[in-house]
Amino acid sequence: MTGTEAPVRNGGDLVVETLEALGAKTVFGIPGQHALGLFDAMGRGNLHFVSSRVENNSAFAADGYSRATGEVGVLFLSTGPGALMSLAGLQEAYATGVPMVVVASQIPLEGLGARRKGMLHQLDDQKASAANVTKSQRLIQHASGIPSAIQDAWTEAISSPQGPVWLEIPQNVLLDPIMVPPVEDALAEAADNPPRVELIREAVKWLATAKRPAIIAGGGTRRGRAEKTLLALAEKLRAPVICTPGGNGAFPWSHQLSLQSWIEDRYVTDVLEDADVLIVIGSSLGEVTSNYFTFEPRGRIIQIDAEPRVLESNRPGLGIRADAGQALTALDEALQRAGVSVTPDWHGSTPEDLVRETLAKVMARLESQDLTKELTFMADIREAVPADMQTFWDMTISAYWGWSCWDAKDGQFHSAQGAGGLGFGFPAAIGGSVGLATTGRSGSAARVLAVSGDGSAMYSISELATAKQHNVPVTWLIVDDGGYGILREYMIDAFGKATATELARPDFVKLAEAFGVSATRVEPQGVGDALKAAFNAEGPNVVVVETLLKMFAPTHLDR
């Protein structure tokens, strides 16, 4: 081919062109032999590629990108080991309902279906490996099907219940020349998911006679962008609202009806059990939300969720399958049309007094447990973090505190509470920061905070290279307690000693500096000042605190 000839287009070009037409701007992943057609085509397109060092972290980064921006995360994977390496990250996205389009390569068409042809990276059925952690899986066998398949996958990913969708394309389909013209437009609109009329009508009947209504706001509330409607509904009903870890930030923290996020406290559980009508939005009433299945409601439950399998999965109730935003809007409007006026009476107390008294009891319980260091540590972090900064938390003791005590203010709180896997915080924060920059924020406005323990930090330590390579403004707080701290605590409580929880770990400051990333080590009382300085710096940086934090005493063991 001479310099004047147009490059030969292939299946990879169709992938890139379709994604760009759908609005994709950034792709995460790692190149691989069978996927080279994808990466060659990106060189002819406008997608920004962020290369991670481990595929699982690429999945976490695409997840973080989506959470931070509300857009679809896009992930490119190679075949076999590369594809399999991503699955733990995809489990988190699937459990939390994060919209993603995953494009994995495959062995050449002639090898598909063979039990063992001996091709590099060959799996008997690669799609089957992704079936537990994605909404659906598709194999594209011909180039002509690529644009429509990607468009359909995008539509499915953004339709509630949202989640990752898996596509795989054989190596030769990506590489072979095509006659399909360039993709000029693609349309993907979320499928409508409104509540059924008779269910809303029944819910209004229940609420019209309620004396003690209360609300649990789960992660589906945030995914359905239902925050404003939740506020309107809560104020109309004068109903106390508690947010789950996934729902953290869905309701104003300091509102007089806010029980905040103390979902694991028995005082809060007692309030929820006493509600005569409990509205549960975007939550299964699972392990944490039910205070480890000790929650025994005495009233009726209205459960709203986009995923029908969630409805009544833990408690019987009026199950309303719908997008949270559409359902709450319909319920709020129906209450208004019916002229429902609720005068709550919590055994002689107002709901506002009940909330204030309950939070005071929670604080008194904490203050009785010698947790001054932990409460001060979390308060210092909160004071240092700008009100609108997004934060990403790994599975670590600091995050478990954050589930309950973190006021997201004008930012967003993101954690790995969906699947509970280690290593989420830092790569997700990288993706989140890249997303903020991609959607128009730059410099300090795109800075985010990641929080990890030393154990979880080692899962994603290689991504210091990614952060440095792309100069991502991420501040990474590593709380180093010399092991798997929460498992140590669990084992000591259960057995009187801990086994296999202690870790040899590196000097995180020197390790970060080896990647060219600035880092500092401070005592716990210096964490606030260190974070403020890090937030004002350029590019990625690391703050290390060596300390042993404790969890507050669980209340479910008392039942």
Side-chain angles (χ1 to χ4, degrees):
M1 184 180 73
T2 68
T4 59
E5 293 176 325
V8 176
R9 294 174 59 255
N10 56 29
D13 289 280
L14 288 177
V15 174
V16 171
E17 291 164 3
T18 306
L19 289 171
E20 289 184 3
L22 288 165
K25 305 176 187 69
T26 301
V27 174
F28 299 87
I30 298 176
Q33 179 175 325
H34 294 137
L36 293 181
L38 283 175
F39 291 88
D40 175 59
M42 273 201 297
R44 295 185 287 275
N46 298 304
L47 292 175
H48 172 51
F49 180 65
V50 178
S51 178
S52 302
R53 299 305 185 268
V54 182
E55 286 85 358
N56 191 46
N57 295 331
S58 296
F60 282 142
D63 177 326
Y65 178 97
S66 179
R67 295 196 202 199
T69 64
E71 297 186 354
V72 174
V74 181
L75 176 63
F76 282 179
L77 297 172
S78 186
T79 315
L84 294 178
M85 190 68 76
S86 73
L87 297 185
L90 292 176
Q91 184 186 2
E92 174 59 37
Y94 182 58
T96 308
V98 178
M100 290 170 56
V101 170
V102 184
V103 182
S105 60
Q106 246 298 9
I107 60 174
L109 275 169
E110 61 266 26
L112 294 177
R115 177 69 180 172
R116 193 69 204 163
K117 199 176 182 70
M119 288 187 170
L120 183 70
H121 301 332
Q122 182 175 9
L123 290 168
D124 290 343
D125 186 350
Q126 184 171 277
K127 290 195 284 68
S129 300
N132 267 331
V133 294
T134 55
K135 287 183 69 176
S136 67
Q137 310 80 40
R138 297 171 173 85
L139 170 66
I140 306 171
Q141 300 191 48
H142 305 286
S144 295
I146 289 174
S148 295
I150 292 177
Q151 181 174 277
D152 291 347
W154 193 286
T155 299
E156 185 175 1
I158 62 176
S159 297
S160 59
Q162 297 178 341
V165 178
W166 181 279
L167 299 170
E168 53 187 51
I169 309 174
Q171 179 186 31
N172 53 321
V173 178
L174 289 171
L175 289 173
D176 288 348
I178 58 172
M179 63 182 71
V180 182
V183 179
E184 296 182 7
D185 64 82
L187 177 64
E189 295 183 351
D192 202 30
N193 194 359
R196 298 203 331 253
V197 173
E198 74 276 11
L199 297 176
I200 293 296
R201 187 184 303 122
E202 185 68 15
V204 169
K205 289 180 183 177
W206 289 16
L207 291 168
T209 59
K211 292 297 182 184
R212 298 184 305 281
I215 299 172
I216 296 176
T221 315
R222 292 172 61 191
R223 291 190 294 276
R225 296 175 174 83
E227 293 90 343
K228 290 183 179 179
T229 316
L230 171 62
L231 177 60
L233 183 67
E235 291 180 340
K236 186 178 273 85
L237 298 173
R238 288 178 63 199
V241 179
I242 180 81
C243 292
T244 71
N248 186 306
F251 195 74
W253 187 264
S254 299
H255 194 283
Q256 60 185 350
L257 291 170
S258 176
L259 287 166
Q260 300 172 355
S261 290
W262 297 99
I263 197 75
E264 297 180 56
D265 189 276
R266 172 48 55 180
Y267 290 125
V268 173
T269 307
D270 289 343
V271 171
L272 299 176
E273 288 180 339
D274 193 36
D276 57 0
V277 178
L278 181 64
I279 306 174
V280 181
I281 309 158
S283 170
S284 66
L285 292 178
E287 185 172 14
V288 175
T289 303
S290 66
N291 204 351
Y292 301 91
F293 299 114
T294 62
F295 174 50
E296 296 287 346
R298 296 185 291 277
R300 296 187 287 186
I301 295 174
I302 299 170
Q303 188 177 18
I304 299 168
D305 206 284
E307 172 55 73
R309 291 176 297 177
V310 166
L311 300 175
E312 297 191 280
S313 61
N314 281 306
R315 286 288 168 185
L318 179 65
I320 302 177
R321 188 245 183 179
D323 172 79
Q326 290 182 277
L328 289 189
T329 296
L331 184 57
D332 187 54
E333 292 174 351
L335 287 168
Q336 190 168 342
R337 285 195 304 271
V340 171
S341 177
V342 177
T343 304
D345 179 6
W346 290 80
H347 310 292
S349 293
T350 67
E352 294 82 4
D353 286 343
L354 175 74
V355 166
R356 185 169 55 254
E357 292 164 3
T358 302
L359 291 178
K361 291 177 182 178
V362 172
M363 290 301 109
R365 189 202 302 277
L366 293 173
E367 290 168 359
S368 71
Q369 294 179 26
D370 188 27
L371 296 169
T372 300
K373 179 172 72 170
E374 288 76 10
L375 290 166
T376 302
F377 187 74
M378 295 303 296
D380 287 348
I381 298 174
R382 177 60 277 182
E383 194 275 329
V385 173
D388 63 347
M389 181 175 284
Q390 299 200 29
T391 59
F392 295 80
W393 302 71
D394 223 314
M395 296 297 287
T396 184
I397 289 178
S398 300
Y400 299 152
W401 271 97
W403 287 2
S404 294
C405 76
W406 188 261
D407 175 4
K409 296 188 177 180
D410 300 322
Q412 292 189 55
F413 175 90
H414 309 289
S415 79
Q417 53 80 36
L422 290 176
F424 168 85
F426 186 50
I430 291 173
S433 180
V434 169
L436 293 175
T438 303
T439 54
R441 302 177 71 171
S442 60
S444 61
R447 182 168 293 280
V448 300
L449 172 67
V451 182
S452 301
D454 55 293
S456 58
M458 291 302 293
Y459 276 67
S460 48
I461 200 72
S462 60
E463 302 312 321
L464 283 167
T466 302
K468 179 62 177 180
Q469 178 177 337
H470 298 280
N471 197 36
V472 183
V474 174
T475 295
W476 192 10
L477 173 62
I478 300 175
V479 184
D480 183 356
D481 65 6
Y484 296 122
I486 193 65
L487 300 179
R488 175 196 293 134
E489 188 167 319
Y490 288 162
M491 292 190 76
I492 290 173
D493 287 346
F495 311 117
K497 65 177 182 177
T499 303
T501 60
E502 306 314 297
L503 298 172
R505 74 273 199 198
D507 183 325
F508 285 104
V509 171
K510 290 182 179 179
L511 184 55
E513 291 173 344
F515 283 94
V517 175
S518 63
T520 184
R521 180 182 290 104
V522 297
E523 296 297 321
Q525 59 269 26
V527 68
D529 289 340
L531 287 176
K532 289 176 184 177
F535 296 152
N536 289 320
E538 299 293 328
N541 47 51
V542 175
V543 175
V544 179
V545 178
E546 294 184 4
T547 188
L548 177 63
L549 301 177
K550 298 185 299 183
M551 277 302 296
F552 49 82
T555 61
H556 66 277
L557 300 179
D558 300 331
R559 303 293 284 187

